[in-house]
Structures are given as structure tokens and as C-alpha cells.
């Protein structure tokens, strides 16, 4: 859903670096297999410093969700610079397909985390759901701006299509699946922009 972190930036503070490193390592390894040492190494922070900022791994999971939320806000701000809702939605799809190699290796950065957290009952699953809901709400606004009365259903269909193709791309380790689906989604968006809303 949001871009994977390629490298944690050295200019950020230690807390921010740890949060971004947690998002990255959880994506690549999963929450259960990740240790605090893994995150410290990815953030280039001594492992003893991790406990100064985060007492438990669950606190780091929460920070990773926050890092995803911040990246989503930045992504939405960039998408909103496009002149039409149709172009904004297509830019979102293109951003997804540009990350197809990452999806083939690890799946969707946020979708995989959300799926893993769904097995828990500590409230972190609901925090993750709020981030996903924000993306669906944004997509709904774009479809509504295109004059669609069925904007919520279309937004859910778009995000579901991406999550589904991310799973298949990862399962088959085939980035071209996502490339093909991205082109289909762009054509679908174009067809919706030119179609009248169902009565």
C-alpha cells in the first residue's frame, strides 16, 4: 500500500529511524521473526538504545504503523498534486506497479503487516485498519469527484484489487502479474471516468 523503505535515512532522529527500520524489517521478515537486534541493525542504532525509545516489540509495531501512516500522508499529498481525480488514481496504481519487484519478494508493505496483526487481540490490528481506511476514504473521494454515486464500492474494489494482486505477485514471485493488473486498473479507471453513474 505504501512504499517500502529501501534504507533508513541517517539524518533522522533515532526514534524515527527505529520506527522506519521496524516498518522495513517487519515487511521483510514478519513481526514474529523480527528481533529488536534486527531493527537496531537496520536503523544503525546500538541495540541498547532501542529500549530507551521502545520498551517492547509491540511498541515498535505501533511505531511502524505510525511510519506507514506518515508515508501514506506524504503519498496522498503527492497524488493530490495531479490535476484530476482520474490522474490521481492512475498515479496511485502506477506507484504500486513500480514497487512490483518488492511485492514479488515480500508482498505489500502494509497489507502483509495488517494481515499478521489480524491474528492478535491487542488493538494494534485496529490501529492498522485505520491506516488502510484512510487510503480507502481518499480513493472514495476521488471516485466521488469523478461523479460516481458508487464511489465507496469502487474505492473498496480498487484497494482490494491491489491487495489481491500483491498476494498473487508474492505467491508466484512474478512481478509481471502486478504490471499487467496495473494496466488493467488504469483502463478500468479511464472507463469509469467516461461512464455515467449507474442509476
Amino acid at each position: 500500500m505504501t512504499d517500502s523503505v529501501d534504507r533508513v535515512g541517517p539524518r533522522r532522529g533515532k526514534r524515527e529511524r527505529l520506527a522506519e527500520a521496524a516498518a522495513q524489517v517487519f515487511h521483510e521478515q514478519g513481526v514474529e521473526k523480527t528481533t529488536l537486534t534486527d531493527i537496531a541493525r537496520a536503523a544503525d542504532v546500538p541495540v541498547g538504545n532501542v529500549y530507551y525509545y521502545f520498551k517492547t516489540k509491540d511498541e515498535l509495531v505501533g511505531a511502524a504503523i505510525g511510519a506507514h501512516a506518515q508515508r501514506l500522508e506524504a503519498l496522498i499529498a503527492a497524488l493530490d498534486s495531479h490535476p484530476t481525480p482520474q490522474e490521481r488514481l492512475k498515479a496511485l496504481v502506477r506507484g504500486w506497479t513500480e514497487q512490483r519487484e518488492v511485492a514479488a519478494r515480500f508482498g505489500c508493505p502494509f497489507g502483509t503487516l495488517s494481515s499478521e496483526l489480524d491474528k492478535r487481540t491487542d488493538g494494534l490490528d485496529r490501529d492498522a485498519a485505520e491506516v488502510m481506511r484512510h487510503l480507502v476514504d481518499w480513493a472514495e473521494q476521488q471516485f466521488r469527484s469523478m461523479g460516481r454515486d458508487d464511489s465507496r464500492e469502487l474505492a473498496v474494489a480498487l484497494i482490494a484489487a491491489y491487495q489481491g494482486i500483491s498476494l498473487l505477485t508474492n505467491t508466484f514471485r512474478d512481478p509481471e502479474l502486478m504490471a499487467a493488473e496495473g494496466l488493467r486498473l488504469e483502463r478500468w479507471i479511464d472507463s469509469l471516468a467516461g461512464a455515467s453513474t449507474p442509476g
Side-chain angles (χ1 to χ4, degrees):
M1 179 191 81
T2 56
D3 291 342
S4 179
V5 178
D6 292 328
R7 192 173 70 105
V8 178
R11 293 185 182 153
R12 298 183 183 225
K14 286 182 182 177
R15 184 180 182 83
E16 292 78 15
R17 284 164 43 205
L18 286 164
E20 289 192 11
Q24 174 188 341
V25 180
F26 290 151
H27 179 217
E28 294 173 359
Q29 298 179 185
V31 173
E32 296 309 315
K33 291 184 179 177
T34 297
T35 66
L36 295 181
T37 301
D38 295 331
I39 294 168
R41 187 178 307 117
D44 195 25
V45 170
V47 70
N49 287 115
V50 176
Y51 295 100
Y52 178 77
Y53 297 100
F54 302 100
K55 303 301 181 207
T56 65
K57 187 160 69 168
D58 283 353
E59 288 184 11
L60 272 163
V61 172
I65 293 169
H68 281 292
Q70 289 177 347
R71 271 184 270 174
L72 178 59
E73 286 298 333
L75 174 63
I76 286 173
L79 293 171
D80 283 343
S81 69
H82 292 274
T84 67
Q86 180 181 355
E87 285 304 314
R88 290 176 209 133
L89 289 166
K90 288 170 63 176
L92 174 65
V93 170
R94 283 191 296 273
W96 288 336
T97 58
E98 287 169 4
Q99 295 293 315
R100 63 187 177 272
E101 298 290 341
V102 173
R105 290 185 66 202
F106 305 114
C108 169
F110 195 68
T112 54
L113 178 63
S114 296
S115 179
E116 193 171 352
L117 294 179
D118 183 56
K119 310 293 186 282
R120 300 168 58 149
T121 58
D122 54 12
L124 289 168
D125 58 331
R126 291 188 299 277
D127 294 343
E130 285 305 310
V131 178
M132 189 74 78
R133 183 174 290 111
H134 186 49
L135 178 62
V136 173
D137 290 346
W138 177 85
E140 179 183 6
Q141 291 170 0
Q142 306 316 305
F143 285 116
R144 188 181 306 116
S145 295
M146 289 165 57
R148 302 292 305 198
D149 289 338
D150 54 349
S151 57
R152 188 66 177 185
E153 292 86 358
L154 294 172
V156 170
L158 176 64
I159 306 308
Y162 166 65
Q163 289 300 326
I165 200 60
S166 291
L167 175 62
L168 289 175
T169 297
N170 180 242
T171 299
F172 295 117
R173 301 291 195 263
D174 184 357
E176 293 314 305
L177 290 173
M178 183 171 283
E181 179 66 357
L183 292 174
R184 186 195 71 80
L185 287 171
E186 288 195 52
R187 290 192 303 270
W188 176 67
I189 291 164
D190 285 339
S191 73
L192 292 171
S196 60
T197 302

